Amino acid sequence: MIDIKLIRENPQKYQDACKAKKFDIDIYRLLELDQQLRFNNEHLQDLLTIKNRVGKSIPTLSGNELQAALSELSLTKKEETTLQQQIKELKPEFDALILQVAQPTDDDVPVGKDDTENVEIRREGKVRQFDFEPKDHVQLGTSLDIIDIERGVKLAGTRNYILKGDGAMLHWAVLRFAVDFMVGRGYVPMSVPLLMKDETMTGTGFFPGSEDQTYRMEADQLNLAGTAEVPLTAYRMDEILKTDELPLKFFAMSSCFRREAGSAGKDTYGLYRIHQFDKVEQVVICENSVEESNKFHEEILANSEGVMAALGLPYRVVMVCTGDLGRGQAKKYDIEAWMPSRKNYCETHSASKFYEFQARRMNLRYKDPAAKKNLFCHTLNNTVIASPRVLIPLLELYQNADGSVTIPKVLQPYMGKEKITPRL
RNA sequence: GGAGCAGUGGCUGAGCGGCUGAAAGCGACGGUCUUGAAAACCGUUUUACCCAUUGGGUAACGGGGGUUCGAAUCCCUCCUGCUCCGCCA
């Protein structure tokens, strides 16, 4: 959410920000509502002042004076009711609109319409050239009997799968490695609930907007989180933190649930785009400072790059363009791993910087001794590892001519072996 | 799921129609004292918003609604917690 004061000062900036991110919001309608609400509120406040003053004198009055006071109060009350009625009508529209105003992006964010215009920053690692005809991850998974998509779909419908034997082990190995890695970086491990209230979804910025992408438990009015970003970021929601608590650095491993509505027919092959997966996610909550936010944005990116490097996966870092940014994101880096079967670098990580956009929605603040008041925190998050998507490059790049798959060194302790071999 | 009890400031806890944005204690912060610390003593200490130069005003005692000139205090409802019962991974 954006501070209404900032919008008043420079409405065009926010109108432009919405446009760049392809959100159709009428900032000027918002300002109009704001003005009416302020006018009504001021008027109401004056009325209440009178009401309080007269009301307080009531016990000291009697006879005609009392009657006069009471009739004055009944008049102000009538006026108060009218005003409150008007406010009640205007407020919901105002609230709904201001939640939709987009966070302006940093100046260095490239302008573009969609993900095809994201800008590559650099490439890391060497893409493997095969001297045999490589299989894709589905073929490998089937021949090694470690991935069973057909039966996953039988049980749970399209975009579902089952990992089996070394497939399940490899999946967990990757996650466990990521967990240990993040512990090593000093982040606090968290095990969190995944059925989230609407307020939590709104606080983190997923609602309004991503209702279509969210599995909803209507009977209980809860929502299955699509990422542990939601519980981790909202963990201290509605609180005022002590300055020395900051920065908060968390990570959680969790299952993630996504409806993938609107992507019918897209990425239908294999384990790329699925309804349920597991992810280790990192979140940083820091003080209200652009420098701090930038510092931690680089830090969480570096954490994930550390994981990719340890896994020996070639990847590139891209800066996401305006048209591909979410409403609240000021800047975002994606890490894209090389996926041989897709013949491209494909997204495996997404490092987002929000400034106070989420914190303001969640009313997450801290006492700032310098400013001598409560400021909204800044929030950031990034994937540490998401599996089974990362198994795509992992299996495909580590395959051998004989159909086996070598297990990356750092994962071997978790697997208790060096190779996944076909059953005979 | 049923019954009972309860939800007040950072915490404990009083208030149970106007004098209460809220006693008291603890904690925290600042000061005096001290070589330093502790103790003692003094002071400060909820939040958001509005108008104005110092200052003034409004709202909030779990959420929402109601009664009343006036609600932390009475009523309704929802939520949360605790205790007992039921059911159960």
Side-chain angles (χ1 to χ4, degrees), chain A residues 9-228:
Chain A
E9 279 166 24
N10 196 351
Q12 198 53 44
K13 174 177 173 186
Y14 293 93
Q15 189 71 78
D16 293 345
C18 291
K19 201 176 166 200
K21 287 184 172 180
K22 299 186 298 187
F23 291 104
D24 182 23
I25 285 102
D26 186 350
I27 294 287
Y28 292 93
R29 172 63 185 156
L30 178 69
L31 284 180
E32 193 178 306
L33 290 165
D34 175 48
Q35 204 158 29
Q36 288 173 20
L37 274 168
R38 289 175 89 195
F39 178 80
N40 284 349
N41 277 325
E42 259 176 63
H43 195 171
L44 178 66
Q45 200 175 302
D46 291 344
L47 274 181
L48 290 173
T49 308
I50 295 170
K51 189 176 140 188
N52 286 343
R53 201 164 290 160
V54 177
K56 251 177 198 155
S57 71
I58 293 269
T60 68
L61 302 178
S62 62
N64 286 341
E65 279 183 340
L66 180 64
Q67 287 314 310
L70 288 179
S71 67
E72 186 187 351
L73 280 172
S74 81
L75 281 178
T76 48
K77 181 152 200 178
K78 211 169 276 174
E79 220 176 321
E80 186 195 330
T81 314
T82 318
L83 272 178
Q84 241 146 13
Q85 191 63 38
Q86 286 173 13
I87 291 169
K88 224 178 188 169
E89 278 164 24
L90 297 170
K91 195 80 189 346
E93 191 186 347
F94 176 85
D95 290 344
L97 267 179
I98 195 161
L99 280 180
Q100 294 176 55
V101 180
Q103 168 73 44
T105 57
D106 282 4
D107 291 338
D108 58 347
V109 170
V111 174
K113 59 174 187 337
D114 56 35
D115 59 358
T116 60
E117 298 190 54
N118 292 346
V119 173
E120 180 177 308
I121 297 179
R122 58 196 153 83
R123 294 187 179 198
E124 303 287 346
K126 215 173 153 192
V127 171
R128 178 179 174 192
Q129 301 301 319
F130 291 96
D131 51 14
F132 58 92
E133 187 60 37
K135 296 176 176 172
D136 68 44
H137 68 283
V138 177
Q139 293 165 337
L140 284 165
T142 307
S143 63
L144 292 167
D145 195 25
I146 58 173
I147 300 172
D148 189 343
I149 291 178
E150 202 176 312
R151 293 192 182 85
V153 172
K154 176 178 80 176
L155 301 188
T158 176
R159 296 196 192 281
N160 280 100
Y161 59 93
I162 287 167
L163 301 175
K164 185 180 173 188
D166 283 338
M169 289 304 285
L170 185 63
H171 170 71
W172 291 327
V174 163
L175 294 165
R176 286 160 66 198
F177 170 71
V179 164
D180 290 344
F181 185 93
M182 289 309 288
V183 169
R185 296 266 163 140
Y187 283 58
V188 178
M190 307 276 276
S191 175
V192 290
L194 297 173
L195 283 165
M196 296 282 103
K197 294 193 199 178
D198 289 343
E199 296 101 283
T200 321
M201 299 300 286
T202 305
T204 43
F206 286 93
F207 289 177
S210 293
E211 289 87 346
D212 278 5
Q213 299 303 329
T214 307
Y215 287 105
R216 167 105 179 143
M217 308 291 134
E218 200 48 53
D220 297 289
Q221 308 212 327
L222 293 169
N223 311 283
L224 265 174
T227 161

